[in-house]
Amino acid sequence: MLHLRLITPSDKTDGVVRLIERTVGTTHLVVLPGAARNPAGDVVLCDVAREAGDELIGSLRALGLDSTGSIAVENIDLSLSKRAEKAEDEAPGEGADAVLWEHLADATHEESTLSITYVAFITLATMIAACGVVLDNAVLIVGAMAVGPEFGPLAGFSTALVQRHPRLALRSVIALLVGFAVAMAVTVGFSLFMDAVGLFSEEQLKAERPNTGFVYAPDAFSFVVAVLAGIAGTLSLTSAKSGALVGVAISVTTVPAAANAAVALSYGDTAQTWGSTEQLLLNLLGIVLAGTLTLLAQKWLWSKQRERTAARSTL
């Protein structure tokens, strides 16, 4: 269930209340006349089944409530109410399958923002991965994958393509390009420093690396895994099962590939630099392609679900 807290201008409250009452899957409607001070107006509270949330939020925005008042949405972790159970039963589809497009756009907007924190995380992840590739240490590679924040901009770009948000697409591309550019540049310097103090060596980079050699040897499996990870990551975002994102993070080799390219570049090893860059680009392409197609499929399936529900309601 979702909890909505709305601030409505007094002249729009009746229309908002009627809209909520007409929406299948809503309950616990509360109206507090004149309770809001900034902006001034009435406060309307209600709970709505997740599968009916996107339609209701879209209708509220169509009334202009996002500009004249306020729309706040929260997840309800526990609701002990027969009315809530009835609302969920009446709502079409399953809550886990529903996509809250406004929430997805907002979440990916935040995750794809180029910030100091984002750059710090992707840089630290790349430096950790650099240690992993030189030492051929799979544990460090997995740790670097988990730390890397690059899935946010990738999901943001896929969302932007499906929802046709050019600003979100541009923001995501900038975060990816600048983030990886800074991370790789810093890692080149880090690699030179580690070599100077005797902790890295070119011999280690060029030696047999059974645990990490895959990061500069892209093949068909690299693309397949990236596609599968992109599907899983997108589903985890749209179904609010964010725990799956950890598994997605450690299944693709974006950060390790960038790290290996940076270390190889510091030693002038063009073969490994190019191979790692191919691996990086292949993973990025696979994730974006899979994420976009997954969102399009979810959008189509949910529209069909609504059409079937509307057809049954008219019988």
Side-chain angles (χ1 to χ4, degrees):
M1 294 289 288
L2 302 173
H3 177 67
L4 271 63
R5 186 185 74 249
L6 314 174
I7 297 178
T8 74
S10 299
D11 60 336
K12 289 189 175 182
T13 300
D14 289 341
V16 168
V17 170
R18 285 195 297 270
L19 173 62
I20 294 172
E21 291 175 335
R22 288 198 308 266
T23 302
V24 177
T26 59
T27 187
H28 303 154
L29 177 60
V30 178
V31 180
L32 304 174
R37 293 293 180 268
N38 184 21
D42 304 329
V43 174
V44 179
L45 309 173
C46 73
D47 294 341
V48 58
R50 180 182 173 84
E51 50 268 43
D54 188 64
E55 180 180 2
L56 177 57
I57 294 169
S59 298
L60 291 170
R61 292 198 66 185
L63 291 176
L65 201 60
D66 54 330
S67 57
T68 60
S70 171
I71 304 172
V73 184
E74 300 174 325
N75 282 307
I76 300 176
D77 295 325
L78 176 64
S79 179
L80 303 178
S81 167
K82 291 294 184 182
R83 289 182 178 273
E85 293 177 5
K86 184 173 182 293
E88 288 185 318
D89 290 339
E90 291 176 346
E94 294 293 331
D97 298 331
V99 180
L100 298 176
W101 291 101
E102 294 297 336
H103 177 270
L104 180 62
D106 183 70
T108 52
H109 179 278
E110 181 179 351
E111 293 294 327
S112 61
T113 299
L114 183 64
S115 63
I116 294 176
T117 301
Y118 170 82
V119 173
F121 268 114
I122 196 169
T123 301
L124 290 170
T126 306
M127 293 167 70
I128 294 171
C131 295
V133 296
V134 172
L135 298 175
D136 194 34
N137 189 314
V139 174
L140 292 176
I141 293 295
V142 171
M145 290 176 176
V147 172
E150 73 280 4
F151 189 79
L154 291 170
F157 188 71
S158 295
T159 302
L161 291 179
V162 174
Q163 293 294 93
R164 299 179 182 178
H165 288 174
R167 288 186 179 180
L168 178 57
L170 180 61
R171 181 187 297 267
S172 301
V173 170
I174 290 174
L176 282 171
L177 294 179
V178 174
F180 273 114
V182 171
M184 293 174 71
V186 172
T187 303
V188 169
F190 175 70
S191 176
L192 293 172
F193 170 77
M194 295 292 279
D195 180 78
V197 299
L199 295 177
F200 281 8
S201 69
E202 188 172 3
E203 290 72 23
Q204 287 175 296
L205 182 70
K206 294 186 175 181
E208 288 293 324
R209 290 190 279 147
N211 293 319
T212 59
F214 65 92
V215 298
Y216 62 89
D219 54 21
F221 282 105
S222 301
F223 185 74
V224 170
V225 171
V227 168
L228 296 176
I231 296 172
T234 303
L235 289 175
S236 72
L237 286 176
T238 58
S239 64
K241 297 185 181 296
S242 58
L245 281 177
V246 177
V248 171
I250 62 177
S251 62
V252 291
T253 54
T254 48
V255 166
N260 198 84
V263 175
L265 184 62
S266 71
Y267 286 115
D269 188 336
T270 55
Q272 284 203 38
T273 300
W274 179 245
S276 300
T277 302
E278 286 184 330
Q279 179 78 274
L280 173 61
L281 295 176
L282 198 62
N283 275 267
L284 294 177
L285 175 62
I287 293 173
V288 169
L289 179 63
T292 303
L293 293 177
T294 300
L295 290 175
L296 286 172
Q298 288 181 291
K299 194 171 187 177
W300 181 80
L301 289 172
W302 197 250
S303 67
K304 291 299 180 182
Q305 176 67 45
R306 285 181 175 177
E307 289 176 5
R308 288 194 295 269
T309 302
R312 286 197 298 266
S313 64
T314 58
L315 295 178

